[in-house]
Amino acid sequence: MLKNLPFILCNSCRNIDSFIFEKILNMKHLLTAMCFLCASAAGFAQAKVIPLDKSPLDVCYFPENFPMLKIQGKAAGPLLARLIYSRPSKGDRIVFGELIAYGKLWRLGANEATEIEFFQNVKIGSYKLKKGRYTVYTIPEANKWTVIFNKENDTWGSFGYDPKKDVAKITVPVQTITDSVEIFTISLDKISSGFNMNISWDNTKVNLPIYLQ
Amino acid sequence: MAGCVNKEQEAINSGSKDADSLSLLSGKNPYSSIDQSPMDVSYYPEGYPQIKMAMPQQTAGPVARVIYSRPHKKGRIIFSHSENSLCKYGQPWRFGANESTEIEFFEPVVINNKNLSAGRYVLYCIPQEDRWVLVVNSNLHSWGLHVDPDQDITRIELPVQEQKPALEDFTMVFKPAYYGADLIIAWDSIKVILPINFSKS
């Protein structure tokens, strides 16, 4: 039954470009298998090579680089926020309006939906959020994005999105950047009494201020 | 004295994000490039987020997840007595690269006859030729490995087993077991298995 679901098909390649990537992957597997056979015949030990995910997971913190600051003894206070997301690359594609459709829910990355954890209560727009883990989605449009914080955690893609579990929904303007950003990037940058969730990819940048309570 | 900890210290001193980095992948991104030892996540049940998306009504919460970084072997000697190995026997190792490896339990579990409440822990090990000492510690959110025995929760000796086929990428995955789950920790031609008991006591 699981196999009938299209996104389960993408299981072996946890990426947005699943079908194209899967074809490449299959070819790679074939080549790897052929190499393995040749190497085995020649009596060499061959390590199993699993291709690196095209959109690897990454993490960012506020305060920025907190774990490094902590072990250097330079952390001025506790960890306040941590965001875990996957980082697709632009390649030759046009990102917003093509790869990522305007007006449709996007998981803000690839693979598992993006997760943010607040280690103290925060305020986003007029919404007060208690400390804890949240899933972040967005609905991008040409000149504004709607950023959504949702209480359903540990999800994959945007398939399981349930608007009843939204805890904040904020619209922020889109800024255009001249130097195109190749790899999808989120950082948490200090502002007065909080931090900006700074999202950038291709020629698009969005800033969402989050205030510590 | 070229063990993991010292290499990490050098990396910290030089400000490099990854002790294993050969070069950065892209110069284009003005913020930060993709890491040579990218982060990954494994859930128990295995593939939990996908399972939940397929059957949202029937799926209970996850039991555990591990967040770790995945260095590649790249022809290097990983575990040995040699000073040139990436992880010299007897030197504490953070299970990966970059940030310390973090394991989260969403319900209470038992490891090594020790009750662990739901929550987050750091995992690290001291590898030896035939057995590893695996340590569960509560000093969270560190880069590299901050060895802090005062915050150790439990230490368990695990026999080293053969991994076939040998793995290029450092790998941590959960597999079901009759008592709960096994956390399989594998790289190159070896693996260790950490039994995790789910029976609530």
Side-chain angles (χ1 to χ4, degrees):
Chain A
M1 176 208 162
L2 287 180
K3 284 182 179 152
N4 295 333
L5 290 148
F7 60 90
I8 292 293
L9 288 176
C10 317
N11 230 344
S12 61
C13 50
R14 305 157 68 235
N15 198 278
I16 216 164
D17 305 322
S18 52
F19 294 103
I20 300 164
F21 184 40
E22 194 157 42
K23 276 182 191 160
I24 298 167
L25 206 64
N26 287 339
M27 283 171 64
K28 274 191 183 165
H29 279 165
L30 188 64
L31 285 172
T32 309
M34 285 166 73
C35 292
F36 184 79
L37 284 173
C38 295
S40 301
F44 293 115
Q46 179 77 41
K48 183 181 176 187
V49 179
I50 301 165
L52 177 61
D53 197 291
K54 283 188 92 173
S55 305
L57 203 64
D58 209 343
V59 59
C60 65
Y61 301 89
F62 182 76
E64 203 179 352
N65 291 326
F66 178 85
M68 187 69 92
L69 295 176
K70 180 185 163 186
I71 58 159
Q72 290 173 331
K74 292 179 186 166
L79 177 61
L80 298 166
R82 173 174 89 168
L83 184 138
I84 298 175
Y85 70 123
S86 290
R87 305 188 63 188
S89 297
K90 170 178 152 66
D92 296 328
R93 306 172 294 189
I94 293 166
V95 175
F96 294 104
E98 294 203 2
L99 180 69
I100 311 291
Y102 288 135
K104 281 194 174 172
L105 190 75
W106 179 48
R107 73 189 102 175
L108 215 57
N111 303 326
E112 288 87 0
T114 294
E115 145 184 333
I116 194 165
E117 177 158 3
F118 303 117
F119 295 90
Q120 70 177 65
N121 297 345
V122 297
K123 194 172 179 188
I124 308 172
S126 59
Y127 301 92
K128 287 182 176 174
L129 271 63
K130 290 204 181 312
K131 67 178 179 181
R133 277 204 296 150
Y134 299 90
T135 298
V136 194
Y137 301 98
T138 184
I139 302 168
E141 286 175 68
N143 53 8
K144 63 179 165 60
W145 282 20
T146 304
V147 183
I148 298 165
F149 293 78
N150 185 283
K151 201 54 204 125
E152 187 73 41
N153 292 322
D154 306 304
T155 61
W156 199 93
S158 49
F159 299 102
Y161 172 65
D162 178 0
K164 288 200 281 295
K165 292 184 173 162
D166 287 352
V167 289
K169 200 168 180 179
I170 308 100
T171 302
V172 284
V174 165
Q175 302 168 43
T176 302
I177 41 179
T178 45
D179 285 337
S180 173
V181 174
E182 172 63 23
I183 306 165
F184 177 59
T185 301
I186 304 178
S187 59
L188 306 176
D189 303 330
K190 187 175 171 53
I191 54 171
S192 170
S193 41
F195 54 93
N196 261 338
M197 185 171 153
N198 181 349
I199 308 164
S200 46
W201 200 13
D202 204 353
N203 291 106
T204 295
K205 177 175 160 175
V206 161
N207 271 335
L208 174 69
I210 298 174
Y211 298 100
L212 297 160
Q213 293 290 286
Chain B
M1 288 295 289
C4 287
V5 173
N6 290 340
K7 280 183 188 169
E8 283 158 21
Q9 198 57 50
E10 284 166 22
I12 292 159
N13 295 342
S14 70
S16 158
K17 198 184 173 197
D18 182 1
D20 305 329
S21 286
L22 297 177
S23 61
L24 293 174
L25 289 171
S26 166
K28 261 192 146 181
N29 191 328
Y31 299 102
S32 61
S33 295
I34 298 276
D35 201 275
Q36 285 282 320
S37 300
M39 195 174 256
D40 209 342
V41 60
S42 294
Y43 279 88
Y44 188 85
E46 210 182 346
Y48 174 84
Q50 287 103 319
I51 296 170
K52 179 162 131 177
M53 296 305 92
M55 297 181 289
Q57 306 307 322
Q58 290 97 317
T59 310
V63 181
R65 76 169 181 181
V66 63
I67 298 175
Y68 69 116
S69 291
R70 305 189 67 179
H72 316 300
K73 177 172 158 70
K74 292 185 208 147
R76 300 173 293 186
I77 299 165
I78 307 296
F79 305 105
S80 85
H81 289 292
S82 163
E83 298 289 343
N84 297 325
S85 51
L86 192 67
C87 295
K88 186 175 179 287
Y89 293 142
Q91 298 272 2
W93 180 51
R94 72 189 118 171
F95 280 139
N98 302 326
E99 285 89 352
S100 308
T101 290
E102 170 185 302
I103 192 163
E104 180 159 5
F105 299 111
F106 299 94
E107 58 182 60
V109 297
V110 179
I111 293 178
N112 195 25
N113 296 319
K114 175 95 181 173
N115 292 315
L116 271 66
S117 38
R120 263 176 212 174
Y121 303 89
V122 162
L123 278 187
Y124 68 92
C125 75
I126 302 155
Q128 298 286 3
E129 190 163 7
D130 56 344
R131 69 197 149 75
W132 288 9
V133 175
L134 184 139
V135 185
V136 182
N137 181 282
S138 57
N139 191 339
L140 297 171
H141 306 304
S142 289
W143 195 97
L145 181 57
H146 182 60
V147 176
D148 181 2
D150 290 348
Q151 295 195 49
D152 284 355
I153 307 284
T154 188
R155 288 181 167 231
I156 178 169
E157 280 201 4
L158 302 170
V160 169
Q161 301 177 37
E162 190 183 8
Q163 166 63 41
K164 270 187 173 176
L167 300 179
E168 173 67 19
D169 306 321
F170 175 60
T171 300
M172 296 178 91
V173 286
F174 294 98
K175 295 287 178 193
Y178 69 90
Y179 41 78
D182 283 331
L183 175 62
I184 296 165
I185 304 162
W187 199 11
D188 201 359
S189 56
I190 61 169
K191 69 178 170 195
V192 297
I193 297 176
L194 172 68
I196 302 166
N197 198 313
F198 293 167
S199 61
K200 291 168 193 172
S201 49

